[in-house]
Amino acid sequence: MRIELPVLRGLAFGLTSGAITTLGLMVGLYSGTHSKLAVMGGILTIAIADAMSDALGMHLSEEFAAPLAARQVWLTTLVTFCAKLAMALTFALPLLLLSLDHAIWASVAWGILVVGVLSASIARTQGVSIWKVVAEHLIITILVILATYGVGSVIEDWTLA
């Protein structure tokens, strides 16, 4: 069975954005507050607000990029929203089941796995080097994690000063 291009676009964007954005927010909030409640609030906020925002952004991008049928534009929009929402919400599970420290590590591992598998799948369908694509995308993911951890740490230092 062949999956329609609007579905693939929405899935790829929603899953990637859901993993990287949610991880960045979680790690930043964790390093800045060490509060499970703040991290959970962040996840739920990203799941709703950012999923809607990304879906609208994808909708506008699809309308601008090429003359597509309205059905294709709306399909991409809906799939982007659902993929982003679902992906973001998966990060709540470790937070509900584990201590905050362990939940953050489990979430980082989960996010890296999702981005890695999705990247390998994209490389395979394009017939390009899997390792090159996976490495490129994981480096970006890790840079987001490190940057947001650093920002959270700086904010924590400001609040302690």
Side-chain angles (χ1 to χ4, degrees), residues 89-158:
L89 290 175
T90 65
F91 289 94
L93 189 58
L95 206 57
L96 292 171
L97 300 175
L98 303 170
S99 70
L100 180 58
D101 291 340
H102 290 110
I104 294 298
W105 282 107
S107 295
V108 167
W110 170 237
I112 286 173
L113 177 67
V114 168
V115 171
V117 168
L118 184 59
S119 299
S121 176
I122 290 168
R124 203 173 302 117
T125 61
Q126 293 181 347
V128 296
S129 169
I130 291 173
W131 294 112
K132 182 180 177 192
V133 173
V134 169
E136 176 184 297
H137 297 170
L138 289 183
I139 287 169
I140 292 167
T141 303
I142 290 166
L143 287 174
V144 168
I145 293 167
L146 293 173
T148 56
Y149 184 87
V151 168
S153 295
V154 167
I155 290 170
E156 180 188 35
D157 291 344
W158 284 348

Side-chain angles (χ1 to χ4, degrees), residues 7-136:
V7 172
L8 291 174
R9 283 183 180 162
L11 275 173
F13 185 87
L15 293 175
T16 304
S17 178
I20 295 173
T21 306
T22 308
L23 267 179
L25 184 75
M26 288 177 72
V27 169
L29 287 171
Y30 165 74
S31 68
T33 68
H34 301 283
S35 164
K36 204 172 196 179
L37 183 62
V39 174
M40 182 61 82
I43 292 170
L44 297 176
T45 299
I46 283 286
I48 297 165
D50 207 41
M52 290 178 149
S53 172
D54 280 357
L56 178 60
M58 191 62 134
H59 183 90
L60 296 175
S61 177
E62 290 291 290
E63 284 182 331
F64 183 75
L68 298 173
R71 178 194 169 282
Q72 289 180 307
V73 171
W74 280 105
L75 183 58
T76 304
T77 303
L78 179 63
V79 172
T80 299
F81 173 76
C82 291
K84 173 78 178 241
L85 178 73
M87 185 75 245
L89 290 175
T90 65
F91 289 94
L93 189 58
L95 206 57
L96 292 171
L97 300 175
L98 303 170
S99 70
L100 180 58
D101 291 340
H102 290 110
I104 294 298
W105 282 107
S107 295
V108 167
W110 170 237
I112 286 173
L113 177 67
V114 168
V115 171
V117 168
L118 184 59
S119 299
S121 176
I122 290 168
R124 203 173 302 117
T125 61
Q126 293 181 347
V128 296
S129 169
I130 291 173
W131 294 112
K132 182 180 177 192
V133 173
V134 169
E136 176 184 297

